[in-house]
Amino acid sequence: MEHTPGDTLQLQLDPDIAAAFQSAAKWARFIAIVCFIFIGFFSVILLLALAMNAGLDTMENVAPGLQFTLLFIFLIPFTLVMIQLYRFANRTKEAIQRQDQEMLNRGLRNLRIYLSVYGVLSIISIVGSIFNLIREF
Amino acid sequence: MENSNLNLFQLSVDHETSEELRRCSYWAKIVAMAAFISAVLSIIILFIKPLDESEQMLVIMGTIITVVINVVIHVFLYRFATKTTTAIDNASQHDFSEGIAGLQTYFKILGIIIIIVLSVIVLVIPVFLIALSMGMLA
């Protein structure tokens, strides 16, 4: 069945669903804030290690400067994911408080971006694990 | 009574909301499936990779705990994905409610695990520092 734009489906955001959305938003906000602190902390440690020209034991063959550049590059998608999660949390909470349909849609868009980046990173991680598995044989 | 409660909420699932929810469900399903595959791979690697006698028990326990937590969390994300898709396809309010509850539980468990990990770190750091200072003194 095709729904035309603006066509309201039978689904409603009843108080129970709104409460579940708000609770999800509250926890998502907490997770995002903790991750922001972790990212900041990790960045400071990386900068300090870079200043001291220290390297990692696990990456002996790679120059220390390149090691930390790679780690910073790894932090970028992680930070973007957390920004989307934080936006989802704030916008969803605000949408329910203000009964703003547009805000709710924007919050869900942020959740979708969070899940899509997370999904791509998960697939990359699986490919890495498979390579690791092949290397063991 | 229920109708009056419903009327208090001006928010509904319009075309754009349902499309966003559908896309969220699609990606949530991919994330959950990736987590399940990753869990299986972790177990396989655990059995293949040679381990030292001393660290064997610790590594096995650590991997099993991580895999169980990972699977449990993502079961709720998978539930969100499947129930929300069913809810949109069949206009089922009950499935919609269960789907969003799945998303809520997913974030809640993730948040609680972060609290536990932070608590362990807060407890371990002073112990580590004390051990380090005692070692240095000795």
Side-chain angles (χ1 to χ4, degrees):
Chain A
M1 197 174 83
E2 278 288 313
H3 293 283
T4 54
D7 179 15
T8 306
L9 299 169
Q10 290 166 13
L11 294 176
Q12 293 290 322
L13 252 87
D14 62 26
D16 289 341
I17 294 173
F21 255 127
Q22 272 190 317
S23 175
K26 186 185 80 180
W27 283 104
R29 191 164 186 264
F30 168 75
I31 294 163
I33 289 170
V34 171
C35 287
F36 284 140
I37 294 168
F38 168 77
I39 289 165
F41 190 66
F42 195 61
S43 301
V44 170
I45 289 174
L46 279 182
L47 287 173
L48 284 174
L50 194 63
M52 291 189 290
N53 206 26
L56 298 172
D57 292 342
T58 49
M59 297 167 86
E60 279 173 350
N61 299 329
V62 186
L66 188 64
Q67 285 180 18
F68 295 111
T69 309
L70 289 172
L71 287 171
F72 268 119
I73 290 170
F74 162 76
L75 278 183
I76 293 168
F78 190 61
T79 310
L80 291 175
V81 166
M82 286 306 137
I83 290 171
Q84 295 303 324
L85 187 64
Y86 187 74
R87 281 185 181 164
F88 155 71
N90 281 351
R91 286 178 173 169
T92 306
K93 196 179 162 200
E94 210 176 314
I96 291 165
Q97 279 172 354
R98 295 199 315 197
Q99 299 292 296
D100 187 339
Q101 187 76 39
E102 180 56 33
M103 189 68 83
L104 179 72
N105 291 341
R106 276 198 262 164
L108 287 173
R109 200 172 303 140
N110 291 126
L111 178 67
R112 189 240 304 166
I113 297 169
Y114 160 77
L115 288 169
S116 58
V117 179
Y118 185 16
V120 171
L121 291 177
S122 302
I123 291 166
I124 292 169
S125 161
I126 287 176
V127 172
S129 296
I130 291 170
F131 274 118
N132 196 12
L133 196 66
I134 292 166
R135 215 173 50 183
E136 290 295 328
F137 279 108
Chain B
M1 185 63 194
E2 202 175 312
N3 278 339
S4 65
N5 273 342
L6 282 173
N7 291 339
L8 286 173
F9 279 83
Q10 291 162 11
L11 295 173
S12 61
V13 179
D14 62 11
H15 179 75
E16 201 183 335
T17 314
S18 70
E19 282 305 308
E20 285 298 346
L21 281 170
R22 203 184 287 277
R23 288 182 200 134
C24 283
S25 303
Y26 172 79
W27 281 106
K29 201 176 273 183
I30 288 175
V31 170
M33 296 304 283
F36 298 147
I37 293 167
S38 182
V40 172
L41 285 174
S42 298
I43 297 289
I44 293 170
I45 289 171
L46 184 70
F47 283 107
I48 289 172
K49 208 171 183 176
L51 296 167
D52 291 339
E53 287 275 327
S54 56
E55 63 177 16
Q56 197 173 23
M57 206 56 206
L58 201 69
V59 172
I60 290 172
M61 285 296 287
T63 308
I64 289 171
I65 291 169
T66 312
V67 163
V68 168
I69 291 171
N70 200 20
V71 168
V72 168
I73 291 172
H74 287 91
V75 160
F76 289 103
L77 192 65
Y78 188 77
R79 187 177 289 175
F80 157 70
T82 51
K83 292 281 179 182
T84 307
T85 309
T86 311
I88 294 165
D89 288 341
N90 304 330
S92 163
Q93 190 70 27
H94 178 71
D95 284 328
F96 187 40
S97 183
E98 282 191 2
I100 302 304
L103 184 72
Q104 176 201 359
T105 312
Y106 165 74
F107 281 124
K108 191 186 270 186
I109 296 177
L110 212 56
I112 290 168
I113 288 167
I114 286 177
I115 292 172
I116 293 169
V117 170
L118 287 176
S119 308
V120 170
I121 289 171
V122 167
L123 287 172
V124 163
I125 285 176
V127 173
F128 177 75
L129 289 175
I130 290 167
L132 199 71
S133 62
M134 283 173 77
M136 278 178 177
L137 287 171

